[in-house]
Amino acid sequence: MISGIIGRKVGMTQIFAEDGTVTPVTVIKAGPCVVVQTKTAVGKDGYNAVQLGFVEDKPIKLKNVSKPMRGHFEKTGGGLPPTRILKEIRLTDAPDANIGDQVKADVFADGDMIEVIGKSKGRGFAGTIKRHNFSRGPMSHGSMNVRAPGSIGQSAYPSRVIKGTKTSGHMGNERVTVRGLTVARVDAENNLIMVKGAVPGPNGSLVVVKKSVRQK
């Protein structure tokens, strides 16, 4: 069974229960996706997986598809139109889907434990206090070290900055996996998944939703 799907983050909203409690949720437009390729552990690939293509409202024109990708989709039998986004979902068992099958939001159910993979928001250049949660220096009169990182090198040995030292630099815009999230509601008719909690990335960004291995 396919345990993941490609989606696009829509935004946040609230769900009201019958007793009046409010649950903040993130809405994800999950799919529809199409199975482009299957891999099995007994075959030449050596592991179980499916490659999904994200079917968007505006299809890609054939003239904008590179020759390697065109050949990749022709291997499916020629019946699948090319998609811009391809993602591979690893599976524990051999895939029970065939090339061309559609994957929609109904692969998830209310209460499922999931993990969401996406790209965090880019924050540009940031200092050590914002980027690595450093503490600031004293604010008293004459202090010259309020938000400075302090000494990062040595004078004698090794007389250089150690590789991997936490310093200022580019913050965000990197792959982030958020685990322990819960599906609050599934709208299969509109291919919407409402996730309890926050999901990485800005509105409109691509995410991959997978069933968590650590189910309750």
Side-chain angles (χ1 to χ4, degrees):
M1 182 177 177
I2 298 175
S3 58
I5 196 170
I6 310 169
R8 199 175 285 278
K9 181 178 176 180
V10 178
M12 292 200 71
T13 185
Q14 296 172 331
I15 292 178
F16 292 87
E18 293 181 358
D19 58 355
T21 57
V22 180
T23 304
V25 295
T26 303
V27 182
I28 298 176
K29 178 78 164 60
C33 297
V34 62
V35 178
V36 179
Q37 186 182 15
T38 59
K39 298 181 179 182
T40 57
V42 296
K44 63 179 182 180
D45 301 300
Y47 62 95
N48 299 315
V50 291
Q51 189 184 64
L52 300 180
F54 185 53
V55 180
E56 299 191 73
D57 298 331
K58 188 177 180 182
I60 184 172
K61 295 180 181 178
L62 195 61
K63 66 175 183 177
N64 295 331
V65 181
S66 63
K67 277 188 177 182
M69 290 307 300
R70 199 178 302 177
H72 180 64
F73 279 92
E74 285 175 357
K75 285 181 181 178
T76 63
L80 288 180
T83 58
R84 288 185 179 86
I85 295 115
L86 292 172
K87 298 286 184 182
E88 188 173 279
I89 306 294
R90 295 286 290 261
L91 305 175
T92 54
D93 301 321
D96 56 354
N98 299 316
I99 294 174
D101 289 354
Q102 279 211 340
V103 181
K104 296 184 178 180
D106 54 7
V107 297
F108 298 96
D110 297 358
D112 281 353
M113 290 283 291
I114 60 171
E115 56 186 51
V116 180
I117 306 167
K119 266 198 170 183
S120 61
K121 292 181 181 180
R123 303 295 184 183
F125 187 92
T128 53
I129 292 179
K130 182 177 180 180
R131 191 182 186 206
H132 299 296
N133 200 27
F134 277 23
S135 299
R136 61 166 176 79
M139 296 287 287
S140 56
H141 177 69
S143 173
M144 304 290 288
N145 185 23
V146 179
R147 295 182 70 92
S151 176
I152 60 173
Q154 299 82 19
S155 60
Y157 176 83
S159 298
R160 61 185 173 87
V161 178
I162 302 297
K163 192 178 290 186
T165 301
K166 292 181 178 180
T167 58
S168 306
H170 189 273
M171 181 180 177
N173 194 29
E174 57 189 5
R175 179 187 168 106
V176 176
T177 302
V178 179
R179 294 184 173 91
L181 299 175
T182 309
V183 176
R185 190 177 297 173
V186 176
D187 185 355
E189 186 178 347
N190 297 311
N191 278 326
L192 296 176
I193 298 175
M194 300 177 193
V195 180
K196 183 180 178 181
V199 168
N203 294 344
S205 61
L206 283 168
V207 293
V208 176
V209 185
K210 298 168 62 178
K211 285 187 180 179
S212 177
V213 180
R214 297 174 258 183
Q215 294 287 335
K216 286 185 179 179

